[in-house]
Amino acid sequence: MSQVVQVARTHLGESGTRISLKDALAKAQQPQTKEEIAAKKTRYRQEHREEIAAKKTRYRQEHREEIAAKQTRYYQEHREEIAAKKTRYRQEHREEIAAKQTRYRQEHREEIAAKKTRYRQEHREEYNTYMRDYMRTRAAQRKSAGAES
């Protein structure tokens, strides 16, 4: 018995009924190379993008606390390594980082200025109180220093 006939006779569909020879052959043929396998995976991901995203979102929502606990535990266990990695990256890419910051500040100058102004206005009373207390403290310190000499 040839392989094609054997595949057609033994292969059943999802519902348990026999499927056509063409479908049986298609299911029996496996991709031969890594490229074909990768292409098949890519094609599947593109065709089912929305379903995959919905599954991921649902999983993340159902396991939110568990995921957060895992992340926290990981960062606590690897704190020194992560800090060292960040420091090393900042040192090695100092110029690039400075250029990015400068570019960002130039592109968002008006937004940054508006945020600063808004913050100052919202916290004006707190700032004024702080400065008034600070100036009184400094004046008292000067008085006490002048009285001691």
Side-chain angles (χ1 to χ4, degrees), residues 92-107:
E92 292 172 359
H93 299 87
R94 189 175 298 136
E95 293 82 18
E96 294 173 34
I97 294 169
K100 282 181 185 178
Q101 288 174 341
T102 304
R103 190 170 48 250
Y104 180 87
R105 287 187 192 116
Q106 288 172 346
E107 291 172 0

Side-chain angles (χ1 to χ4, degrees), residues 113-130:
K115 282 181 184 178
K116 283 182 179 179
T117 304
R118 192 168 46 249
Y119 181 85
R120 284 189 196 116
Q121 289 172 348
E122 291 172 359
H123 298 85
R124 180 177 287 145
E125 189 61 37
E126 296 169 34
Y127 178 75
N128 289 340
T129 304
Y130 166 77

Side-chain angles (χ1 to χ4, degrees), residues 77-94:
E77 291 172 359
H78 299 87
R79 187 178 302 144
E80 291 82 19
E81 297 168 31
I82 293 169
K85 214 179 217 182
K86 283 182 180 179
T87 303
R88 191 170 48 252
Y89 179 85
R90 287 187 194 119
Q91 290 171 347
E92 292 172 359
H93 299 87
R94 189 175 298 136

Side-chain angles (χ1 to χ4, degrees), residues 10-114:
T10 58
H11 206 302
L12 299 176
E14 253 82 52
S15 62
T17 57
R18 288 187 183 269
I19 58 175
S20 70
L21 178 61
K22 180 180 171 184
D23 292 339
L25 285 172
K27 283 193 175 201
Q29 289 178 337
Q30 294 296 318
Q32 299 299 313
T33 65
K34 289 181 181 180
E35 290 80 19
E36 290 174 333
I37 293 170
K40 188 175 179 182
K41 285 182 181 179
T42 302
R43 198 170 38 253
Y44 178 86
R45 288 185 189 118
Q46 288 172 345
E47 291 171 0
H48 299 88
R49 183 179 298 135
E50 291 160 1
E51 296 169 34
I52 293 169
K55 282 182 183 178
K56 284 181 180 179
T57 302
R58 191 169 44 250
Y59 178 85
R60 288 183 187 124
Q61 288 173 347
E62 292 171 359
H63 299 86
R64 186 178 296 145
E65 291 85 15
E66 186 180 325
I67 293 168
K70 280 182 183 177
Q71 288 175 337
T72 303
R73 192 170 46 251
Y74 176 85
Y75 286 119
Q76 286 174 347
E77 291 172 359
H78 299 87
R79 187 178 302 144
E80 291 82 19
E81 297 168 31
I82 293 169
K85 214 179 217 182
K86 283 182 180 179
T87 303
R88 191 170 48 252
Y89 179 85
R90 287 187 194 119
Q91 290 171 347
E92 292 172 359
H93 299 87
R94 189 175 298 136
E95 293 82 18
E96 294 173 34
I97 294 169
K100 282 181 185 178
Q101 288 174 341
T102 304
R103 190 170 48 250
Y104 180 87
R105 287 187 192 116
Q106 288 172 346
E107 291 172 0
H108 299 88
R109 183 179 301 146
E110 290 156 7
E111 295 170 32
I112 294 169

